[in-house]
Amino acid sequence: MLDHLEYSAPKVKVISGAKEDWELVIGMEIHAQVSSEAKLFSGASTQFGNEPNSNVSFVDAAMPGMLPVINEYCVEQAVRTGLGLKADINLFSAFDRKNYFYPDLPQGYQISQLYHPIVGEGEVVVDMEPGVARKVRIERIHLEQDAGKSIHDMDPTMSFVDLNRTGVALMEIVSRPDIRGPEEAAAYVLKLRQILRYLGTCDGNMQNGNLRADVNVSVCRPGQYEKYQETQDFSHLGTRCEIKNMNSTRFIQQAIDYEARRQIAILEDGGSIDQETRLYDAVKGETRSMRSKEEAHDYRYFPCPDLLPLEIEQTWVDDIAKTLPELPDEKKARFVKGFGLSEYDAGVLTAETENADFFEKVVVTGEDGKLSANWVINELFGRLKKEGHEITESPVSPAQLGQIVKLIKSDTISGKIAKDVFEICYTTGRDPEEIVETEGMKQVTDTGAIEAAVDAVIAANPDQVEKAKQNPKLAGWFVGQVMKASKGKANPKAVDELVKAKLGL
């Protein structure tokens, strides 16, 4: 497996207060819904969009005498995620009851993992730009069940409860406070989403609530964070506030910026920050207090008496590790080193597994990595984005785009003609090789025919010849005229060479 590409850490985000400069410190708790057809402790469906309260078993509804049974596949997905994040897998883990009362929590408690999570420390490399990345440490990943959903906007006097999400398996991925700015926070969410989608452990659909973020924000004076890094003593950092349930990277950035400035204003006025949970109002563009921040003892955690500790074997973990796909960082590094791509282009192509797979199939036929990347990114992706389509909806197959690349590489067609071939292929589905043959679009490589065309243009434009001899850059005008006369079929390189030879340049 290839190593990561080399990178340096991005500059820390500094916010100027009225009196002095401040730095941001951000940690995140990502709740990722496990890709599983059944819930964590019951066989009820996890299908999104079903009728309210139709995906509910007796266990989910907390009927008397109903006991949870662990879904082994959800455990496997958590282990798979941990391995993908280069994290420690704990062979012993246990479930705890987190006690609180809310209308959409039928049991009166949530089954989670406080003391013995299934996954330990790992890391995520968050790309900011080519050659610049932040390594964010993962503290832990634990499994827990989701709560239901309270609905307050269907009736002016009543609220409704939908228990379809109740009991759905979540992985809570907790980071260290290593993120140093709003842009980094958004990039971290997107990178984590990308890895989870590669692994197939979460679909990353933020709109449906399948990936949500709780963002912990604090501010400190320059130099304090370095002291924390040296000692791991949180007293060097400011008091944090948690912004709950964010499901948009744009709103995450806005909320962090607002919350940081709110805290700075309070501190510079001589006040202190209360540790609390806040919500972000996207309409007003501000955070507001939700409740004081609870600690573990406020939830009266205790080991879940209905579930035995979870003990897994190393051989099982090893078997899961053997099935891991090539992950984004490794694939990106391979594309750069193996195909000679820029880090930016490699990043675009590896953003989604479908993009990367499409590109590699194009290369198989086209036999040219750089040229294939140019056509996939600039021509195909550009066209699909303009029309609002995904790569899976592309009317041009990888083999067809590979044919176009191969035709260009072999000088059968020029880059200009290739765009016409692409257009016909995109709109009709015809194969490029057949299009070139039947439409007479082959490039003219006969130097005799090209030379005759060059001579004709030079003879017809004596004044332009003199100007070109004075200013060699004007030779391009003759190339354009010959290409126009040949309807784009002449080999541009051959035309350029002949024009310069004839003009004595």
Side-chain angles (χ1 to χ4, degrees):
M1 185 175 291
L2 293 169
D3 295 330
H4 297 317
L5 297 168
E6 292 183 6
Y7 62 88
S8 58
K11 291 181 180 179
V12 176
K13 173 84 170 182
V14 176
I15 297 179
S16 298
K19 299 179 180 178
E20 56 189 308
D21 288 342
W22 297 81
E23 293 181 357
L24 274 165
V25 180
I26 302 162
M28 302 188 79
E29 298 163 12
I30 305 293
H31 293 83
Q33 180 175 321
V34 176
S35 291
S36 168
E37 293 182 359
K39 296 183 179 181
L40 184 56
F41 299 117
S42 81
S45 171
T46 59
Q47 181 68 41
F48 181 82
N50 285 357
E51 286 295 315
N53 297 306
S54 62
N55 296 351
V56 187
S57 72
F58 288 140
V59 172
D60 305 325
M63 292 292 113
M66 296 295 104
L67 298 176
V69 177
I70 188 74
N71 181 339
E72 182 180 332
Y73 182 69
C74 292
V75 176
E76 179 182 335
Q77 291 286 69
V79 170
R80 188 175 175 84
T81 300
L83 292 170
L85 298 179
K86 299 176 176 56
D88 299 326
I89 306 301
N90 297 322
L91 301 182
F92 175 92
S93 62
F95 290 94
D96 306 289
R97 285 187 181 181
K98 178 182 180 181
N99 295 276
Y100 65 98
F101 295 92
Y102 210 70
D104 56 20
L105 193 71
Q107 295 163 312
Y109 58 83
Q110 178 189 37
I111 300 177
S112 183
Q113 293 185 312
L114 175 66
Y115 302 110
H116 302 286
I118 190 165
V119 177
E121 296 183 350
E123 65 181 39
V124 176
V125 177
V126 181
D127 311 288
M128 300 305 299
E129 58 184 84
V132 179
R134 173 82 68 192
K135 182 180 285 187
V136 177
R137 295 169 298 163
I138 301 298
E139 180 181 324
R140 56 185 276 150
I141 303 175
H142 61 260
L143 278 168
E144 63 184 21
Q145 57 180 171
D146 204 355
K149 182 179 181 182
S150 296
I151 303 165
H152 307 294
D153 56 1
M154 289 179 61
D155 188 277
T157 60
M158 293 188 293
S159 291
F160 297 84
V161 174
D162 180 6
L163 298 182
N164 277 355
R165 291 192 72 93
T166 304
V168 166
L170 299 178
M171 296 177 288
E172 183 169 336
I173 305 169
V174 183
S175 84
R176 296 283 186 181
D178 293 347
I179 302 165
R180 306 305 309 280
E183 298 81 8
E184 286 184 28
Y188 169 75
V189 173
L190 292 176
K191 184 60 177 289
L192 196 55
R193 177 183 182 273
Q194 180 191 34
I195 294 171
L196 295 174
R197 284 172 59 81
Y198 264 69
L199 291 167
T201 56
C202 174
D203 66 15
N205 191 322
M206 299 180 77
Q207 186 176 352
N208 292 351
N210 295 356
L211 191 74
R212 315 189 294 269
D214 295 342
V215 187
N216 289 286
V217 181
S218 67
V219 295
C220 66
R221 292 179 176 83
Q224 291 299 109
Y225 185 81
E226 286 71 21
K227 292 180 180 178
Y228 155 71
Q229 287 285 51
E230 291 172 8
T231 63
Q232 296 299 301
D233 183 353
F234 285 98
S235 66
H236 293 295
L237 303 180
T239 301
R240 71 184 190 276
C241 291
E242 181 183 45
I243 309 170
K244 292 287 286 186
N245 287 330
M246 305 291 293
N247 66 348
S248 158
T249 54
R250 180 164 62 93
F251 290 155
I252 284 172
Q253 293 181 74
Q254 292 173 1
I256 290 172
D257 188 68
Y258 175 87
E259 179 59 23
R261 295 181 188 280
R262 183 190 74 85
Q263 292 183 22
I264 289 169
I266 292 172
L267 292 169
E268 291 194 341
D269 281 344
S272 60
I273 304 301
D274 295 325
Q275 185 171 332
E276 62 181 349
T277 299
R278 300 178 69 83
L279 292 175
Y280 179 66
D281 187 327
V283 176
K284 295 182 178 178
E286 61 186 31
T287 64
R288 65 171 185 268
S289 182
M290 179 182 176
R291 59 175 182 264
S292 61
K293 176 68 176 174
E294 298 92 342
E295 301 294 343
H297 62 264
D298 294 316
Y299 288 114
R300 298 296 190 270
Y301 277 95
F302 62 84
C304 182
D306 294 335
L307 290 162
L308 290 170
L310 194 59
E311 296 186 28
I312 58 180
E313 296 178 351
Q314 185 62 49
T315 53
W316 188 62
V317 175
D318 294 340
D319 288 341
I320 296 172
K322 292 174 186 175
T323 69
L324 291 187
E326 184 182 34
L327 292 171
D329 287 341
E330 287 72 32
K331 192 180 289 289
K332 180 178 172 183
R334 179 168 64 82
F335 282 12
V336 169
K337 295 173 183 177
F339 298 122
L341 306 186
S342 69
E343 192 173 333
Y344 174 82
D345 284 351
V348 172
L349 292 168
T350 57
E352 300 285 351
T353 53
E354 295 86 357
N355 293 356
D357 291 345
F358 192 100
F359 164 71
E360 293 209 73
K361 290 174 183 174
V362 173
V363 175
V364 169
T365 306
E367 300 176 356
D368 188 306
K370 281 188 175 181
L371 195 54
S372 295
N374 288 338
W375 274 84
V376 171
I377 294 171
N378 298 324
E379 299 301 326
L380 183 61
F381 285 0
R383 182 67 174 269
L384 292 173
K385 184 177 180 180
K386 183 180 178 181
E387 298 182 0
H389 295 313
E390 300 293 330
I391 189 69
T392 51
E393 303 169 301
S394 172
V396 178
S397 72
Q400 289 174 325
L401 195 56
Q403 282 180 33
I404 293 176
V405 171
K406 196 168 185 177
L407 289 166
I408 298 170
K409 190 182 178 187
S410 65
D411 283 335
T412 304
I413 59 175
S414 66
K416 185 177 184 302
I417 293 174
K419 293 191 176 186
D420 296 332
V421 175
F422 175 82
E423 179 63 28
I424 297 170
C425 178
Y426 192 96
T427 54
T428 68
R430 292 164 59 190
D431 278 346
E433 291 176 351
E434 180 268 326
I435 294 169
V436 170
E437 195 65 42
T438 58
E439 302 296 332
M441 302 173 83
K442 279 188 177 179
Q443 185 168 241
V444 176
T445 55
D446 178 7
T447 54
I450 295 174
E451 187 173 4
V454 171
D455 288 340
V457 172
I458 288 175
N461 298 278
D463 293 342
Q464 197 71 12
V465 169
E466 292 305 315
K467 291 180 182 177
K469 287 181 177 180
Q470 298 298 320
N471 182 2
K473 290 183 180 178
L474 294 178
W477 181 85
F478 289 93
V479 175
Q481 292 301 305
V482 174
M483 294 302 296
K484 185 177 180 181
S486 68
K487 297 182 179 179
K489 293 181 182 179
N491 184 315
K493 186 178 179 182
V495 173
D496 184 59
E497 291 174 353
L498 279 168
V499 165
K500 287 178 178 176
K502 296 281 184 180
L503 295 175
L505 302 177

